[in-house]
Amino acid sequence: MNIIKTLSQNKVAMVGFFVLAIFCLIAAFGPLLYDGSPWKMVQRPFLPPFENSNYLLGTDTLGRDVLAGLIYGTRISLLVGLVSTLIALLIGIPLGAYAGYFGGWVDELLMRFTEIFQTVPSFALAIVIVAIFEPSVYSITSAIAIVSWPPVARLVRGEFMSLRSQEYVLAAKLNGQTHRNIIMREILPNSLSPIIVLASLMVATAILLESSLSFLGLGDPEIMSWGYMIGAAKTVVRQAWWLSFIPGLAIALTVLSLNLLGEGLNEALNPKMSGKREN
């Protein structure tokens, strides 16, 4: 409750929360309330925004409804961001936990394995992975997850290394608890705060990566996303600026809201920062 109270007192974080909540509602209920297909040609191409009440955001290069594309793209962009982050956490947390808890050769082996994925820039590695497999929402999500888990592993490793010598951990060992129980019940719950903050920022990064891949033509050609909309309009920026501006604004607002919420969570979950703010 103290965390919720502290977070609610952070006006900037609450702005990010409400903006993100709006996008989540659009992703959840938008396609149900707005039954227009994002691929259907409904009007003449390059219809400017607010010129036709039936198509408030205008039409794209093929006469497709921009608002329909924006609504359906919200679901795909958020889904890719959330699922890829979840997969990255499922990979990075166990590896970091075992490396930080056991140390020694286990730590060396797992960290050398982690460094293999960090030697190549994440965006370049994601391009290679998607290019090897057929571009689809599954390959894009997998690629983003693969390039996103190393920072999670390193963060969790550091947390476990600092907590494994605490008195409650030593007491659990003396009581005969297994290593798995100590990791899952004693150390991991006490290291969740920085992991939650990192996860919120990872979702924002994943959305940007998906948009960048789609912009380069490596997105799923059968699924509408914000990155696809920008990539399809990149050759007509001067003629129809709104085709790039509208989905770009949606990406910017989503990423900004996630970053604001992440900073708010960091203050709420970090007692030292919360104390400074209250003073």
Side-chain angles (χ1 to χ4, degrees):
M1 295 300 295
N2 290 332
I3 295 175
I4 298 177
K5 181 180 179 181
T6 304
L7 186 63
S8 63
Q9 292 174 347
N10 190 327
K11 296 181 179 180
V12 176
M14 293 308 297
V15 170
F17 172 78
F18 283 118
V19 172
L20 184 61
I22 291 173
F23 280 110
C24 289
L25 290 174
I26 292 174
F29 302 107
L32 299 177
L33 300 176
Y34 190 88
D35 57 358
S37 171
W39 303 103
K40 184 179 180 180
M41 291 179 284
V42 295
Q43 254 284 356
R44 65 176 178 84
F46 303 118
L47 180 69
F50 309 114
E51 186 172 294
N52 189 319
S53 59
N54 293 324
Y55 312 104
L56 291 177
L57 298 183
T59 59
D60 64 3
T61 56
L62 297 178
R64 297 173 297 195
D65 190 353
V66 175
L67 180 59
L70 191 69
I71 291 174
Y72 281 83
T74 304
R75 171 176 290 185
I76 297 302
S77 296
L78 289 179
L79 186 63
V80 170
L82 291 172
V83 173
S84 61
T85 298
L86 178 60
I87 296 174
L89 292 175
L90 292 176
I91 298 173
I93 290 177
L95 292 179
Y98 277 92
Y101 179 77
F102 290 105
W105 67 268
V106 176
D107 181 30
E108 287 292 328
L109 179 63
L110 293 178
M111 286 302 100
R112 298 298 81 78
F113 175 72
T114 302
E115 288 174 358
I116 294 175
F117 291 87
Q118 293 185 305
T119 54
V120 182
S122 58
F123 184 57
L125 181 58
I127 292 177
V128 172
I129 294 173
V130 175
I132 292 175
F133 301 96
E134 182 180 356
S136 66
V137 67
Y138 302 105
S139 62
I140 292 172
T141 303
S142 301
I144 295 174
I146 290 173
V147 303
S148 300
W149 70 262
V152 179
R154 289 198 168 275
L155 174 66
V156 175
R157 171 182 177 265
E159 289 294 316
F160 269 67
M161 291 183 70
S162 63
L163 295 175
R164 67 184 180 183
S165 59
Q166 295 294 319
E167 293 181 357
Y168 61 88
V169 177
L170 299 177
K173 291 181 179 179
L174 292 175
N175 289 334
Q177 293 192 31
T178 63
H179 294 306
R180 180 181 179 183
N181 286 340
I182 295 174
I183 290 173
M184 297 299 296
R185 298 180 181 180
E186 302 294 338
I187 304 180
L188 185 58
N190 289 285
S191 60
L192 285 179
S193 297
I195 297 175
I196 293 173
V197 175
L198 178 62
S200 66
L201 300 177
M202 286 173 59
V203 175
T205 304
I207 292 174
L208 288 175
L209 277 174
E210 186 278 329
S211 301
S212 301
L213 291 171
S214 298
F215 177 80
L216 295 176
L218 294 174
D220 192 328
E222 299 181 358
I223 295 179
M224 183 68 68
S225 70
W226 294 337
Y228 173 86
M229 295 175 68
I230 296 176
K234 62 185 177 183
T235 59
V236 292
V237 173
R238 294 184 179 180
Q239 181 179 357
W241 58 269
W242 64 89
L243 298 181
S244 299
F245 176 79
I246 293 174
L249 180 62
I251 294 172
L253 288 175
T254 304
V255 172
L256 179 61
S257 64
L258 284 165
N259 279 274
L260 294 178
L261 183 59
E263 291 181 3
L265 286 171
N266 190 29
E267 289 189 13
L269 295 170
N270 190 328
K272 294 182 179 179
M273 292 190 66
S274 299
K276 290 180 180 179
R277 188 176 181 276
E278 290 175 0
N279 293 333

